[in-house]
Amino acid sequence: MLNEITIMGRLTRDPELRRTDSGIAVTGFTVAVDRDFKNNGTTETDFIGCVAWRQTGEFVSKYFAKGRMAVVSGRLQIREWRDKDGNKRKTAEVVADKVYFGDSKKEEN
């Protein structure tokens, strides 16, 4: 069986680095990915949640920021959780194995 996904888009906010109780780094971020087709002349965008663990998470939190283009490669994961009212929810997210720069570094003034 195969579960592999690669997406390319811009980060919608700065990555958020956290650590587990045992000190393992985990970084969450969202990537805005434009679809290849247009609907009534407008491009639609998907906002895809991503999570990166350990060294990959530390790399993303250090070198990426809101608006930066990223290429994310990993696997799709469906995670179940309960909201504050106790309702069951499901979330699809990319568990990133590799994250690459999708653009050149912006010039700093």
Side-chain angles (χ1 to χ4, degrees):
M1 293 190 213
L2 181 65
N3 180 354
E4 188 173 325
I5 185 169
T6 301
I7 60 173
M8 180 176 177
R10 296 198 180 274
L11 272 67
T12 62
R13 58 184 165 80
D14 290 339
E16 185 178 316
L17 174 67
R18 299 181 314 273
R19 296 211 179 259
T20 64
D21 291 339
S22 58
I24 297 171
V26 57
T27 299
F29 56 102
T30 302
V31 178
V33 180
D34 289 339
R35 294 184 184 175
D36 287 342
F37 60 90
K38 293 186 178 187
N39 188 9
N40 296 327
T42 16
T43 301
E44 292 187 17
T45 303
D46 293 307
F47 298 90
I48 301 172
C50 301
V51 62
W53 291 86
R54 296 176 177 79
Q55 292 88 354
T56 304
E58 290 175 352
F59 172 76
V60 170
S61 71
K62 185 174 182 179
Y63 294 106
F64 285 84
K66 179 181 178 178
R68 190 80 197 255
M69 182 73 71
V71 179
V72 181
S73 178
R75 64 183 170 84
L76 185 63
Q77 170 178 283
I78 308 300
R79 184 170 49 86
E80 293 184 5
W81 53 282
R82 291 196 180 268
D83 66 13
K84 62 182 178 182
D85 298 324
N87 300 315
K88 280 187 174 181
R89 301 286 185 183
K90 288 185 179 182
T91 300
E93 61 190 3
V94 175
V95 179
D97 293 325
K98 298 175 185 170
V99 181
Y100 304 97
F101 297 109
D103 58 2
S104 58
K105 188 171 180 176
K106 296 179 183 178
E107 292 293 324
E108 307 248 348
N109 292 340

